[in-house]
C-alpha cells in the first residue's frame, strides 16, 4: 500500500498525497519522493503538523537521519510555510550539534543550524542576531565545504547592519583552516562605504602582511566596489607585496575593470615599475583600460 502511494505521489505531484506518504513511512526512498513534491509546492498551515511531527521523529531517532539531511529538509519546509509558532523547532534546531559514525567528532548538523537561523530571523530579528553572532564565532563547527552556518550568520548580520560584531569578528578571527577563508573574505567585503578608514586599514593589514590570498580578494572587492579612494594605498600594497601570482593578476584586472580615473592612474604608475614576471598581468589589465596605449607600448617592449 505504501509503495502504491509512493508511486501515486511521483506521478501526480500532489502535495496532499505527499504529506500522507510522509506521515506513514520512514523508508528513505519514499520519504525522498514525498520531499521532492513538497519542496516544489506552495504549502500552507495544513502541512505544519506532519512536517513538525517528522522533524520531532528524526530528532528522537537520529540514527535514521545520519547526515541530518532530513531534519534540514523539514526545517526548510517550515521556513517556507512561515508560521511564528514554529519558533520552538527553530530554537531546537539551531542548537543541534551532532556527529555521525565513523567520525563522531565531526559535526554534520551545520546546515540544520543555518536553516534554523533563517527561520528565527523571520520571527524575531533580535534573537536571530544573537544566534548569528554565536554561530559566526564557532569557526571549528563550520563546514569546510559550505561555510555554513557561519556564512548564513554573517549574511544575516550584514542584512541587519550589525557592523560591530562583524568588525570584531574580522579583527580577531584566526587559526582557521584554508577552506574557511571564503567566510572571512565575505566579512572583509561587507562593510559600508563610511566605515572608518583607520579601523579598516588596521584590520586589513593583518591579512595583507600574511599574504592570505582569498581574504585579500574581500579587501580588494570592498575598496574597489565602494570606490574608497582613502584606501587605495591598500591596493598598491597588495599588488607590490603579494607572492601569489593569481592574486596579483586578479587585483590589477579589478583596477582596470573599475573604470575609475584614480585607479587607472594607480594602474599606470604600478605598470611602469612592475617586475618582468608581472608584465603579462599588467598588459592584460591595460588592454581593458582606455588611454593606456603609451604604457602598453612600454610594457610590450620590455616583454620582448
Amino acid at each position: 500500500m505504501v509503495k502504491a502511494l509512493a508511486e501515486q505521489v511521483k506521478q501526480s505531484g500532489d502535495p496532499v498525497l505527499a504529506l500522507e506518504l510522509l506521515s506513514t513511512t520512514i523508508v528513505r526512498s519514499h520519504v525522498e519522493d514525498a520531499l521532492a513534491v513538497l519542496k516544489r509546492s506552495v504549502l500552507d498551515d495544513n502541512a505544519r503538523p506532519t512536517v513538525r511531527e517528522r522533524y520531532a521523529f528524526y530528532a528522537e531517532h537520529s540514527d535514521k537521519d545520519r547526515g541530518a539531511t532530513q531534519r534540514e529538509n523539514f526545517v526548510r519546509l517550515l521556513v517556507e510555510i512561515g508560521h511564528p509558532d514554529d519558533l520552538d523547532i527553530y530554537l531546537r534546531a539551531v542548537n543541534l550539534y551532532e556527529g555521525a559514525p565513523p567520525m563522531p567528532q565531526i559535526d554534520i548538523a551545520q546546515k540544520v543550524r543555518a536553516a534554523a537561523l533563517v527561520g528565527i530571523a523571520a520571527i524575531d530579528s533580535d534573537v536571530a542576531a544573537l544566534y548569528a553572532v554565536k554561530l559566526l564565532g564557532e569557526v571549528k563547527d563550520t563546514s569546510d565545504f559550505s561555510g555554513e552556518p557561519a556564512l548564513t550568520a554573517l549574511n544575516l548580520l550584514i542584512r541587519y547592519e550589525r557592523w560591530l560584531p562583524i568588525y570584531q569578528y574580522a579583527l580577531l578571527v584566526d587559526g582557521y583552516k584554508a577552506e574557511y577563508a571564503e567566510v572571512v573574505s565575505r566579512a572583509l567585503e561587507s562593510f559600508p562605504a563610511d566605515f572608518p578608514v583607520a579601523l579598516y586599514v588596521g584590520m586589513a593589514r593583518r591579512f595583507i602582511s600574511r599574504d592570505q590570498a582569498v581574504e585579500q580578494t574581500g579587501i580588494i572587492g570592498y575598496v574597489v566596489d565602494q570606490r574608497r579612494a582613502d584606501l587605495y594605498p591598500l591596493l598598491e600594497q597588495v599588488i607590490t607585496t603579494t607572492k601569489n601570482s593569481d592574486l596579483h593578476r586578479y587585483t590589477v584586472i579589478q583596477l582596470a575593470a573599475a573604470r575609475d580615473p584614480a585607479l587607472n592612474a594607480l594602474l599606470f604608475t604600478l605598470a611602469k615599475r612592475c617586475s618582468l614576471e608581472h608584465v603579462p598581468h599588467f598588459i592584460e589589465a591595460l588592454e581593458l583600460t582606455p588611454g593606456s596605449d603609451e604604457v602598453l607600448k612600454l610594457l610590450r617592449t620590455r616583454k620582448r
Side-chain angles (χ1 to χ4, degrees):
M1 183 175 177
V2 173
K3 188 176 179 180
L5 180 58
E7 189 61 32
Q8 194 176 358
V9 167
K10 284 195 290 186
Q11 291 181 1
S12 69
D14 186 340
V16 175
L17 291 178
L19 287 167
E20 181 182 347
L21 176 62
L22 197 61
S23 67
T24 57
T25 183
I26 59 170
V27 175
R28 189 171 187 86
S29 61
H30 296 338
V31 172
E32 294 295 339
D33 290 340
L35 286 170
V37 171
L38 295 174
K39 286 177 181 179
R40 62 176 184 261
S41 301
V42 178
L43 303 180
D44 58 24
D45 292 354
N46 292 324
R48 288 182 58 240
T50 298
V51 177
R52 286 177 59 89
E53 188 279 327
R54 291 289 86 184
Y55 181 89
F57 172 82
Y58 284 108
E60 295 301 322
H61 301 85
S62 59
D63 60 309
K64 301 184 185 304
D65 186 26
R66 290 290 175 83
T69 54
Q70 304 297 21
R71 280 165 287 176
E72 178 194 348
N73 286 327
F74 296 131
V75 169
R76 293 192 185 281
L77 288 177
L78 289 173
V79 171
E80 288 299 315
I81 294 169
H83 197 289
D85 287 349
D86 291 325
L87 181 61
D88 62 326
I89 294 283
Y90 303 145
L91 292 175
R92 183 177 183 180
V94 82
N95 287 292
L96 178 64
Y97 298 81
E98 184 174 289
M103 293 183 290
Q105 73 279 11
I106 298 179
D107 177 43
I108 48 84
Q110 297 102 332
K111 289 187 177 181
V112 179
R113 296 195 295 277
L117 182 62
V118 174
I120 296 170
I123 298 169
D124 191 325
S125 60
D126 289 333
V127 172
L130 292 173
Y131 271 104
V133 172
K134 175 180 181 290
L135 296 176
L136 183 59
E138 294 177 343
V139 176
K140 293 181 179 179
D141 289 318
T142 292
S143 170
D144 292 340
F145 303 102
S146 66
E148 296 294 0
L151 199 55
T152 293
L154 175 59
N155 288 333
L156 191 70
L157 292 171
I158 293 169
R159 190 173 80 191
Y160 293 157
E161 299 184 349
R162 304 292 177 93
W163 307 120
L164 178 59
I166 297 174
Y167 170 63
Q168 185 176 47
Y169 162 79
L171 194 66
L172 300 178
V173 66
D174 206 358
Y176 49 85
K177 291 187 286 186
E179 293 85 352
Y180 186 83
E182 292 284 356
V183 181
V184 182
S185 177
R186 170 69 174 139
L188 292 166
E189 194 173 14
S190 70
F191 291 95
D194 60 352
F195 193 81
V197 60
L199 295 182
Y200 195 90
V201 168
M203 176 177 58
R205 278 184 173 161
R206 174 164 64 106
F207 302 100
I208 296 173
S209 66
R210 296 178 181 179
D211 202 13
Q212 293 174 270
V214 175
E215 293 87 339
Q216 288 179 89
T217 62
I219 296 167
I220 294 157
Y222 172 72
V223 175
V224 173
D225 291 347
Q226 299 289 355
R227 298 297 192 271
R228 287 295 302 262
D230 47 2
L231 293 175
Y232 286 175
L234 289 179
L235 301 178
E236 181 174 358
Q237 188 177 359
V238 171
I239 292 169
T240 57
T241 65
T242 185
K243 304 298 183 186
N244 187 297
S245 181
D246 290 336
L247 177 65
H248 184 279
R249 176 179 175 273
Y250 172 81
T251 308
V252 297
I253 288 176
Q254 289 303 302
L255 263 63
R259 297 291 190 267
D260 178 74
L263 289 177
N264 287 352
L266 176 60
L267 186 63
F268 295 162
T269 299
L270 295 175
K272 290 175 184 177
R273 62 174 193 243
C274 75
S275 64
L276 194 59
E277 67 176 308
H278 289 147
V279 166
H281 297 168
F282 278 101
I283 288 178
E284 184 178 359
L286 291 170
E287 286 176 341
L288 304 172
T289 310
S292 62
D293 292 349
E294 182 180 340
V295 185
L296 273 171
K297 183 178 179 180
L298 174 65
L299 290 183
R300 285 171 176 149
T301 301
R302 287 189 60 194
K303 189 178 181 183
R304 288 199 299 269

